[in-house]
Amino acid sequence: MDRKLSMYEAINEGLRQLLESDDRVVLLGEDIGRMGGAFWVTRGLQERFGADRVIDTPISEAGFLGMSVGMAIGGLRPIVELQLVDFGLVAMDPIVNHIAKLGYMSGGQIRLPIVIRAAIGGYYGDAAQHSQVLFSTFAHFPGLRVVVPSDPYDAKGLLLEAAQGDSPVLFLEHKMLYGVPFMAFGTQGSVPEERYTVPLGKAKVVREGKDGTVFAAGYSVHLALEAAEAVREEGVSLEVIDLRSLKPLDTEMILRSAGKTGKVLVVDEDYASYGLSGEIAARLAEDDATRASLKAYARVATPDIPIPFSEPLEQAILPNVERILDVVRSWT
């Protein structure tokens, strides 16, 4: 039976299945127990599995992320929730200096099977300290894998894949895609009830095309699809690639699609400088055949200014369909 779930429901189901199948799995974070998480992702899990496995922590990101390091070294498999990725900035020492590096520094003797889940993104007027995506900040550091699902099926499958490995993963969930009733937009999609995995580091073609390629992740995938539908009526065929994983990045898929269409646009909700769009440009340029054949490259990203509280100003700086269409129409 084709069963539809919202993204927050799909992630909740994945977490439940992980808790059921492995006693070493523990969840921890602010308000994830009795409250069920700021975006309802952990609803009902503490009631079912107890407060020893679904742990409400104090409001101290550095404290509970540091605690997850000790748990992992002691043999547990922590899944940590950051209410917002922005709050991870106050916990950079445990994330970057310990979680990302201890495996390397111990010569592989220490394994840290930690998944850090974090809500990301803007488009709802929550200002500069609550609306960032920070893809590239974390992808910059060796030792962290960075995953960004754009639909409920991938959210569950990527989470189960991330949690079964022995290396740390930053799992970034866009707030506009959760599907909770108090947020606009939201996604629903077919999600099998049984366990399944989606491999990390594999991008997905979500729309075939021949006149240009749009690379995107998270909520930006939906903006790209809306733009692709708009230009279809003008006779332009856009290919849309959902990157799904930013580290590892699917370079093979990027080069193949760029080689096929000859024109590339990267839609990146992160800040423009030193980010995803620059990384993709570099990988295109480093491949001789692609560099020789590419006819156009452009990016629609967030300019290098803090995200405004004012929603009209926020809408003006974040990637949107109109900015994507401006680029694509300039190609014709």
Side-chain angles (χ1 to χ4, degrees):
M1 185 175 72
D2 189 23
R3 189 182 59 135
K4 305 287 187 187
L5 293 182
S6 299
M7 183 181 280
Y8 84 93
E9 295 170 321
I11 299 171
N12 178 282
E13 184 169 85
L15 292 171
R16 175 177 58 76
Q17 292 175 346
L18 288 165
L19 287 161
E20 286 172 342
S21 63
D22 190 340
D23 290 341
R24 298 172 298 170
V25 173
V26 291
L27 313 186
L28 60 159
E30 298 152 341
D31 297 322
I32 67 166
R34 285 197 298 174
M35 179 176 163
F39 298 98
W40 298 6
V41 175
T42 54
R43 286 182 104 183
L45 297 179
Q46 188 182 71
E47 183 178 27
R48 179 162 180 170
F49 295 97
D52 291 338
R53 297 190 67 201
V54 182
I55 304 169
D56 277 320
T57 66
I59 303 174
S60 172
E61 286 79 9
F64 63 76
L65 278 156
M67 189 164 70
S68 74
V69 175
M71 288 176 155
I73 292 173
L76 298 177
R77 304 183 70 86
I79 300 175
V80 186
E81 177 177 305
L82 283 170
Q83 284 188 348
L84 304 175
V85 75
D86 314 72
F87 302 162
L89 297 178
V90 301
M92 291 299 272
D93 183 52
I95 296 173
V96 172
N97 276 332
H98 300 279
I99 293 172
K101 291 177 181 163
L102 287 183
Y104 293 92
M105 294 174 70
S106 68
Q109 296 181 73
I110 295 175
R111 300 289 184 182
L112 294 174
I114 300 172
V115 177
I116 304 170
R117 298 181 35 252
I120 62 171
Y123 297 96
Y124 66 108
D126 212 4
Q129 297 167 321
H130 296 69
S131 304
Q132 303 168 102
V133 294
L134 301 178
F135 299 146
S136 306
T137 301
F138 292 98
H140 180 68
F141 294 105
L144 290 175
R145 294 179 290 171
V146 179
V147 176
V148 189
S150 71
D151 62 59
Y153 179 91
D154 281 351
K156 179 180 172 182
L158 288 166
L159 176 68
L160 292 174
E161 175 72 13
Q164 72 180 16
D166 284 333
S167 301
V169 176
L170 191 66
F171 194 86
L172 301 177
E173 305 158 7
H174 202 291
K175 285 164 269 184
M176 295 296 287
L177 302 179
Y178 273 134
V180 288
F182 53 86
M183 295 290 290
F185 195 69
T187 55
Q188 278 211 332
S190 299
V191 179
E193 188 168 357
E194 65 270 18
R195 286 184 65 139
Y196 63 92
T197 59
V198 173
L200 308 190
K202 296 294 182 185
K204 178 172 68 174
V205 180
V206 290
R207 183 181 179 111
E208 295 271 2
K210 59 181 180 56
D211 297 323
T213 301
V214 182
F215 296 108
Y219 181 58
S220 295
V221 172
H222 299 268
L223 300 177
L225 287 171
E226 185 176 342
E229 184 60 25
V231 294
R232 182 187 66 81
E233 299 170 1
E234 301 166 19
V236 177
S237 169
L238 273 188
E239 184 148 293
V240 178
I241 304 291
D242 180 355
L243 295 168
R244 301 199 289 190
S245 170
L246 306 189
K247 196 174 188 179
L249 187 62
D250 191 348
T251 304
E252 182 180 348
M253 172 77 82
I254 290 170
L255 297 180
R256 185 164 64 242
S257 184
K260 170 186 168 184
T261 67
K263 296 174 182 174
V264 166
L265 168 63
V266 181
V267 181
D268 180 8
E269 191 178 331
D270 211 343
Y271 304 117
S273 294
Y274 304 95
L276 174 65
S277 54
E279 181 62 33
I280 290 178
R283 298 199 186 199
L284 295 170
E286 288 165 355
D287 182 75
D288 291 342
T290 305
R291 185 174 66 250
S293 64
L294 196 63
K295 299 171 185 170
Y297 170 85
R299 58 182 171 180
V300 170
T302 299
D304 296 338
I305 54 176
I307 297 170
F309 174 70
S310 159
E311 290 196 52
L313 291 177
E314 181 191 41
Q315 292 292 331
I317 69 160
L318 293 179
N320 57 45
V321 174
E322 289 70 27
R323 290 174 63 192
I324 297 170
L325 290 174
D326 286 345
V327 172
V328 173
R329 285 167 177 155
S330 75
W331 289 344
T332 58

